[in-house]
Amino acid sequence: MARNELRPVIKLRSTAGTGYTYVTRKNRRNDPDRVTLRKYDPVAGRHTDFREER
């Protein structure tokens, strides 16, 4: 498998509606579904859920 196929670059967009995004990689073998992570949103000023965007 090529590097991009197994660990693709994904965007995590804030569910708070601020439009803030994080960019990271994920392992498709371990997380085949959309990933949701709880991270800090500096626009909202608090921790919120960030959901994978395609």
Side-chain angles (χ1 to χ4, degrees):
M1 278 188 162
R3 180 176 184 221
N4 291 344
E5 291 177 15
L6 185 59
R7 294 192 66 87
V9 175
I10 60 168
K11 276 188 180 180
L12 298 171
R13 183 169 302 274
S14 175
T15 58
T18 59
Y20 192 79
T21 60
Y22 281 99
V23 178
T24 187
R25 292 184 177 271
K26 79 164 186 177
N27 189 329
R28 275 202 188 140
R29 195 172 291 154
N30 295 339
D31 299 310
D33 300 327
R34 288 191 183 185
V35 176
T36 302
L37 297 175
R38 191 158 172 84
K39 295 179 76 64
Y40 184 74
D41 187 341
V43 179
R46 58 191 167 91
H47 283 81
T48 58
D49 288 334
F50 279 75
R51 189 151 188 251
E52 178 184 343
E53 179 184 79
R54 288 188 180 154

